[in-house]
Amino acid sequence: MISTQIPSKSMIKRIDVFYTLGQGIVISADVQSRTRRDVTHYSRIVLDPLTMKIVKESCSCEAGAFHRKCWHLKVLEQLISSEEIKEKIEKAGQEMMQIEEDIASWG
């Protein structure tokens, strides 16, 4: 059973928000394990840039290896709804639109 507790921000070691042309807006984070304090898992969510819905998610933990939803992905989903991360997502979306406009102007 996966806990729905909201972890402290100290569980998040690093978070990045960026855009890749072939996938969409990527939110990735290193999330500390709840049970093993010396282990950090790499979790990644990809959002569709138009609908802002999750299209792909993965995690380096044992559950993620079997394509199961883990606690680390739930943590990352909760972070997506925070104002700080929403601003980063919007910025990545704007950068994506600028890139798309530049590519379209090439001919």
Side-chain angles (χ1 to χ4, degrees):
M1 179 174 208
I2 297 174
S3 172
T4 56
Q5 276 183 308
I6 298 174
S8 66
K9 289 199 175 201
S10 65
M11 300 292 280
I12 309 302
K13 300 301 178 191
R14 176 197 55 83
I15 188 160
D16 291 320
V17 179
F18 56 94
Y19 173 75
T20 60
L21 193 57
Q23 294 184 346
I25 299 172
V26 178
I27 300 96
S28 65
D30 290 331
V31 183
Q32 182 178 346
S33 173
R34 281 186 306 175
T35 57
R36 297 172 287 169
R37 297 291 176 199
D38 59 336
V39 176
T40 303
H41 297 290
Y42 176 74
S43 302
R44 183 174 185 261
I45 291 178
V46 179
L47 299 177
D48 179 278
L50 299 176
T51 63
M52 292 300 176
K53 294 191 182 208
I54 297 172
V55 293
K56 187 176 180 182
E57 51 191 9
S58 62
C59 185
S60 66
C61 71
E62 291 81 4
F66 293 101
H67 305 288
R68 305 224 178 201
K69 187 120 183 173
C70 62
W71 178 79
H72 313 103
L73 288 172
K74 288 193 178 268
V75 167
L76 197 50
E77 285 178 6
Q78 290 172 351
L79 283 174
I80 289 173
S81 62
S82 72
E83 288 301 317
E84 176 185 343
I85 302 302
K86 279 185 179 180
E87 290 174 12
K88 289 182 179 183
I89 291 170
E90 287 178 18
K91 183 179 176 189
Q94 290 170 354
E95 290 174 3
M96 180 234 19
M97 293 303 291
Q98 184 62 44
I99 291 169
E100 295 286 336
E101 287 175 14
D102 289 346
I103 291 172
S105 70
W106 294 345

